[in-house]
Amino acid sequence: MQKKNSNTSARSRVLVLVDESNVGSSVRTVGRGLDWIKLRDFLAGPNTGRELIEMVVYAGLPPAMPIWQEERDKKNKFMQWLRSNGFMVVTKDGSPAEEGRYKANVDVMMAIDALELSVEMQPDVVILVTGDTDFAYLAIKLRRRGIRVEVASVSQNLGNILRSAANEVIDLAQLFRTFEMIQEPAPARAMPPRQNQQEGRPQPQRPPNQQQPQQRRRPRRAFPRRQSVTDR
């Protein structure tokens, strides 16, 4: 009697590597907030039939300088939230750039870790959550090791070089639509000056003790109430 192969029912072991800046920018472009729990479940959750080894998030931090301290504290707080929810987080301190910006390229760190972790953890599948074409050669190197490589990004924004380097492309456009819209407060609108009904120009200011001469009142016209429009 032939013994059944126990590996036939084994689930694929998946390692997910995320370029936080790249995927975050893609989501904000469509006016959505990134739901990290939904993203993880979509790529390698219980309903996918796969076993998630780790989901590693690579993020650049604002420079450790007073001018960037408030934004740096906010980013570190978000990184702590990711860690508390089971994500592995790798950060890199940024450096000042032109026009009051900063740069913190994590591509090299992510590429080196991908090769090292593929040896240590021996995943069946590596999912690169990025649209950066610089990872095309990494995808090829992983495939040479016998690892299936999937790229998760917005398909229409994905270059042909990275697309052709992967075994499969996972289009995140449909998933992004399930995320909540970013609620930004509407800008305060300046109230127009009150108009003199007789002359159609701004009412001049008078000293407090000066009495306004009595004028014959004209009947007021009834105007429809202007409705305010809230920008979502």
Side-chain angles (χ1 to χ4, degrees):
M1 185 175 182
Q2 188 176 1
K3 185 178 180 179
K4 290 185 178 180
N5 188 353
S6 60
N7 293 328
T8 56
S9 59
R11 296 185 298 172
S12 297
R13 303 176 73 250
V14 181
L15 173 65
V16 182
L17 306 176
V18 186
D19 183 352
E20 183 266 342
S21 177
N22 188 277
V23 68
S25 177
S26 298
V27 176
R28 288 190 297 271
T29 299
V30 295
R32 305 278 175 167
L34 182 54
D35 189 322
W36 287 89
I37 304 299
K38 279 188 177 181
L39 178 63
R40 179 173 61 189
D41 290 344
F42 179 77
L43 295 175
N47 296 330
T48 63
R50 293 177 166 185
E51 177 187 351
L52 177 63
I53 304 173
E54 284 288 357
M55 185 165 178
V56 190
V57 180
Y58 295 82
L61 296 177
M65 302 171 61
I67 191 175
W68 296 103
Q69 193 59 48
E70 183 177 354
E71 185 175 347
R72 182 181 175 89
D73 292 343
K74 184 178 179 181
K75 192 69 174 285
N76 274 323
K77 185 177 180 180
F78 169 58
M79 294 297 108
Q80 184 58 38
W81 180 90
L82 288 176
R83 293 186 182 98
S84 66
N85 282 274
F87 297 88
M88 182 181 291
V89 177
V90 179
T91 60
K92 177 182 179 181
D93 284 348
S95 57
E98 66 281 352
E99 299 180 357
R101 300 181 180 181
Y102 70 93
K103 57 182 179 180
N105 196 328
V106 297
D107 293 4
V108 175
M109 297 170 59
M110 183 169 163
I112 293 175
D113 281 358
L115 294 174
E116 291 184 349
L117 293 176
S118 66
V119 174
E120 296 171 3
M121 299 181 174
Q122 298 184 354
D124 301 305
V125 182
V126 171
I127 301 178
L128 303 176
V129 187
T130 182
D132 193 339
T133 56
D134 290 342
F135 289 104
Y137 187 64
L138 171 62
I140 294 174
K141 291 288 288 184
L142 292 172
R143 290 180 65 180
R144 287 176 179 172
R145 295 175 179 268
I147 299 172
R148 177 179 175 82
V149 178
E150 299 174 359
V151 172
S153 182
V154 179
S155 181
Q156 63 181 9
N157 297 334
L158 191 62
N160 291 330
I161 298 177
L162 183 56
R163 184 191 301 272
S164 60
N167 292 101
E168 182 182 348
V169 172
I170 302 172
D171 190 0
L172 296 178
Q174 288 293 115
L175 178 66
F176 288 175
R177 295 190 185 99
T178 68
F179 296 166
E180 293 183 0
M181 296 288 292
I182 298 176
Q183 300 293 334
E184 296 182 354
R189 298 181 179 178
M191 296 297 294
R194 297 183 62 181
Q195 300 291 319
N196 187 310
Q197 293 184 1
Q198 292 182 350
E199 300 178 1
R201 58 172 178 252
Q203 185 81 348
Q205 296 182 356
R206 294 182 174 83
N209 297 330
Q210 182 177 348
Q211 295 183 356
Q212 182 177 359
Q214 295 183 356
Q215 296 180 357
R216 185 179 179 182
R217 294 184 178 179
R218 295 184 179 182
R220 295 184 177 179
R221 296 176 57 188
F223 291 93
R225 184 178 180 182
R226 184 169 57 180
Q227 298 179 350
S228 62
V229 179
T230 302
D231 298 329
R232 292 197 61 173

